[in-house]
Amino acid sequence: MTPRIVSSEGRLRRGYFRQKEVLWAAALALAPLSVAADPAADYAEHCASCHAENRLGGTGPALIPETLGRVKGLDGVIAQGRPATQMEGFADELSPEQIAALVDFIKAPLAETPSWTVADIEDSREMEADYTPAEAPVFDADPMNITLVVETGDHHVSVLDGDTLDVLDRFATPYAVHGGPKFSPDGRYVFIMSRDGWVEKYDIWSLREVGRVRAGLNSRNIAMSHDGRWLAVANYLPQTLTILSTETLEPVRVIDVAGRDGTPSRVGAVYQAPDRKSFILALKDAPEIWEIATDPDAGPFHDGLVHSHEKGMEESFGAQKGLFARRRMMVDEPLDDFFFDPGYRNLIGTNREGTKGVVVNLVTGTEIAELPLPGMPHLGSGITWDRDGHKVMATPHLNEGVLSVIDMTDWTLVRQIQTNGPGFFLRSHETSPHVWADVFFGPHKDELHIIDKQTLEIVKTLNPAPGKTVAHTEFTRDGKYALVSIWEDDGAVVVYDAATLEEVRRLPMRKPSGKYNVWNKITFSDGTSH
């Protein structure tokens, strides 16, 4: 199907977030509720700005049964908020009766469950009319030392020269970017996804947007295939994995996601496993891990029994092979938030309650160890490094002021490092002797711990913006500079000399969150989350 070609002027006139009027009209027709409170009015006043008037998601997730799944304690979430998110509590503004009615309201099914088909995806695809790829970078900076800064305050990305720290470009993104951007293997293109399913392609060499497409209605993150040909989009709504062509942004496959027993499942996240030539999926609502092949010669993978009667003969059920073939790995309970060892032989996941870690060998597809990781570990921000001849991994905890350090040779707990509060992100670099750990939650949110990789002791605590939230470190390609976010609307990126720990420069930004260096990401640099 030929994509719609739009100019920048035309896009501005129509806005970035056009939605199908017929679909939304159907979605707004809710089942009747008989409660004393007025939950529709409360929703419009307190919830719609983040979750959209149609409950299909914006900055926050969609609030409908299909995406809420088995979430428990919604009244507590509304009253007290939710850790590690922008969700604030409303206990001071809403009575218990209002909250109870609001829970019933968001748990009520829509009159028509919204869908997002291949045709819908194709129809949403927009390619920039005046884009022409440059034959070489249009700037003098090292293209492998470019760092992208996501500014959530006004939905832009700044493109930084990693050597001079100058801003080369600042471009608009879809609303509410969620999950880390993903680079093509050569570092030229970057793909950025929003919470409401839009995927944007940007040409770093040309400093130009190429186009965008809406791959889902409520999405979690994206992953790049080992060869750079395919981009996978994990969706809460619909409950699918969308695979796009990275060249054209066309949908090449939409995979319905359901457990072996037929129960539909949201995709909690999708990860790239380049060594395995596959994508790895976390299923939110089924005790399974999926592997989707990006190798045309993959498989066959069997869902059911296999019985070989003679050489060259095979009788089996549910076999898949080739490109995008699915392999199921059964686990004891649904696992969220994955981490991988170097080489992608093993996966570490946490259960829904965040009380433990489970190691799954991806070769055999079986659980091989259990890790003592209470306090909701944030494995997605974990990192690895070499210590005393062993590879270790470390993860922060969202509910406890500790960092857990695990020996990856025998999966034993090396130490829990006490911090001044729960953290969100860890970062390092292969040239650095230090781990940089923020204290994202609580009264010490303005602090950043510098930890010696060998002694596991905190050697210094930085406080670049007293009273403000400080988070997420990224290093330049050579590890010379460490870039830290002041996570406020009037925030900044603070640049430190990674060796002396002295501030070098401060770049004003609009609520900068994640920062992503091209080289560190495409080489899977030690100390960078993958």
Side-chain angles (χ1 to χ4, degrees):
M1 180 176 178
T2 303
R4 179 165 48 255
I5 306 297
V6 298
S7 65
S8 298
E9 181 180 357
R11 186 191 296 281
L12 288 172
R13 284 200 306 269
R14 292 193 299 275
Y16 281 109
F17 314 109
R18 296 178 305 156
Q19 299 174 325
K20 290 195 164 186
E21 294 181 359
V22 174
L23 175 63
W24 298 157
L28 283 169
L30 301 176
L33 298 170
S34 55
V35 293
D38 188 351
D42 288 336
Y43 180 90
E45 179 178 355
H46 300 290
C47 312
S49 61
C50 290
H51 300 280
E53 294 179 1
N54 49 34
R55 295 164 54 198
L56 292 179
T59 308
L63 298 180
I64 60 176
E66 291 82 1
T67 57
L68 291 172
R70 303 173 186 173
V71 174
K72 298 179 181 179
L74 287 172
D75 53 347
V77 173
I78 295 172
Q80 305 300 328
R82 193 169 189 179
T85 72
Q86 298 180 45
M87 175 67 186
E88 300 177 356
F90 293 94
D92 294 336
E93 302 176 60
L94 299 173
S95 69
E97 293 75 20
Q98 286 177 295
I99 291 174
L102 196 53
V103 169
D104 289 339
F105 181 84
I106 64 177
K107 290 174 70 174
L110 301 177
E112 179 181 328
T113 300
S115 64
W116 199 247
T117 66
V118 171
D120 293 322
I121 298 171
E122 289 179 338
D123 188 55
S124 73
R125 189 165 59 103
E126 299 179 346
M127 309 304 287
E128 291 293 324
D130 55 353
Y131 165 74
T132 300
E135 295 183 0
V138 297
F139 46 81
D140 294 329
D142 176 3
M144 292 290 103
N145 198 22
I146 297 295
T147 295
L148 302 187
V149 182
V150 175
E151 298 183 63
T152 59
D154 62 354
H155 315 292
H156 279 72
V157 165
S158 285
V159 183
L160 297 184
D161 179 337
D163 294 309
T164 67
L165 305 174
D166 294 331
V167 177
L168 303 177
D169 188 29
R170 190 172 188 269
F171 63 92
T173 67
Y175 183 71
V177 169
H178 191 260
K182 295 298 183 291
F183 297 95
S184 58
D186 61 3
R188 170 161 187 169
Y189 297 100
V190 66
F191 297 81
I192 298 169
M193 189 212 76
S194 68
R195 194 64 178 266
D196 56 359
W198 283 97
V199 175
E200 175 183 25
K201 180 180 180 180
Y202 179 85
D203 181 350
I204 296 174
W205 281 18
S206 305
L207 299 179
R208 286 294 312 276
E209 178 178 340
V210 180
R212 62 182 63 192
V213 65
R214 192 172 193 183
L217 296 176
N218 186 250
S219 304
R220 296 297 296 172
N221 73 326
I222 55 178
M224 175 69 62
S225 65
H226 71 282
D227 55 9
R229 296 184 63 192
W230 318 113
L231 191 78
V233 185
N235 297 315
Y236 264 20
L237 184 70
Q239 290 151 313
T240 59
L241 181 77
T242 299
I243 299 178
L244 304 172
S245 162
T246 55
E247 181 179 0
T248 65
L249 296 182
E250 293 176 282
V252 295
R253 185 73 58 89
V254 175
I255 301 172
D256 292 323
V257 178
R260 180 174 285 178
D261 64 359
T263 302
S265 176
R266 298 165 293 172
V267 183
V270 59
Y271 301 86
Q272 53 193 344
D275 299 64
R276 299 183 58 80
K277 298 182 180 179
S278 66
F279 296 123
I280 306 293
L281 276 63
L283 271 58
K284 194 79 172 176
D285 307 302
E288 302 179 20
I289 298 167
W290 281 16
E291 184 169 24
I292 303 294
T294 55
D295 179 2
D297 297 324
F301 305 124
H302 306 275
D303 274 357
L305 297 174
V306 178
H307 179 69
S308 297
H309 292 281
E310 58 185 275
K311 185 176 181 179
M313 299 290 290
E314 186 178 82
E315 191 177 87
S316 64
F317 298 95
Q320 294 191 12
K321 61 181 179 180
L323 188 63
F324 308 138
R326 180 202 61 223
R327 174 191 176 209
R328 297 182 193 264
M329 288 172 271
M330 308 306 295
V331 289
D332 291 338
E333 58 184 321
L335 297 177
D336 296 328
D337 195 20
F338 291 170
F339 183 85
F340 299 88
D341 64 359
Y344 290 80
R345 289 183 58 84
N346 297 294
L347 170 156
I348 303 91
T350 56
N351 62 355
R352 192 186 311 277
E353 291 75 24
T355 58
K356 65 179 181 179
V358 176
V359 183
V360 177
N361 183 274
L362 293 173
V363 178
T364 64
T366 57
E367 298 181 14
I368 61 172
E370 185 173 306
L371 305 177
L373 294 176
M376 197 177 291
H378 190 212
L379 294 176
S381 290
I383 62 172
T384 64
W385 68 90
D386 294 317
R387 179 178 183 269
D388 296 335
H390 290 229
K391 181 69 73 175
V392 299
M393 64 165 284
T395 179
H397 294 252
L398 301 181
N399 286 344
E400 292 186 25
V402 297
L403 306 177
S404 292
V405 182
I406 303 291
D407 189 323
M408 302 185 79
T409 58
D410 58 9
W411 306 110
T412 56
L413 179 66
V414 176
R415 186 182 304 180
Q416 286 197 319
I417 304 170
Q418 299 296 316
T419 62
N420 287 343
F424 206 7
F425 300 102
L426 296 182
R427 286 295 185 273
S428 188
H429 191 273
E430 52 261 31
T431 64
S432 173
H434 300 128
V435 173
W436 295 54
D438 59 53
V439 186
F440 195 82
F441 306 101
H444 295 277
K445 65 181 182 179
D446 52 2
E447 294 182 354
L448 191 70
H449 292 314
I450 310 300
I451 301 167
D452 187 283
K453 286 181 177 178
Q454 303 307 314
T455 66
L456 304 182
E457 300 291 340
I458 297 173
V459 296
K460 189 169 185 178
T461 297
L462 303 175
N463 192 322
K468 297 186 177 182
T469 300
V470 174
H472 195 278
T473 303
E474 174 64 301
F475 288 79
T476 52
R477 173 181 180 175
D478 57 5
K480 181 178 180 180
Y481 298 119
L483 284 60
V484 177
S485 290
I486 299 177
W487 204 309
E488 307 284 349
D489 195 57
D490 58 345
V493 168
V494 183
V495 183
Y496 286 93
D497 183 304
T500 67
L501 307 181
E502 297 296 325
E503 181 176 333
V504 174
R505 188 172 177 183
R506 191 168 291 221
L507 308 172
M509 298 275 180
R510 292 288 304 278
K511 202 170 187 179
S513 55
K515 299 164 295 301
Y516 307 89
N517 179 268
V518 171
W519 178 260
N520 292 344
K521 288 300 181 183
I522 67 173
T523 62
F524 298 86
S525 172
D526 211 15
T528 298
S529 66
H530 300 159

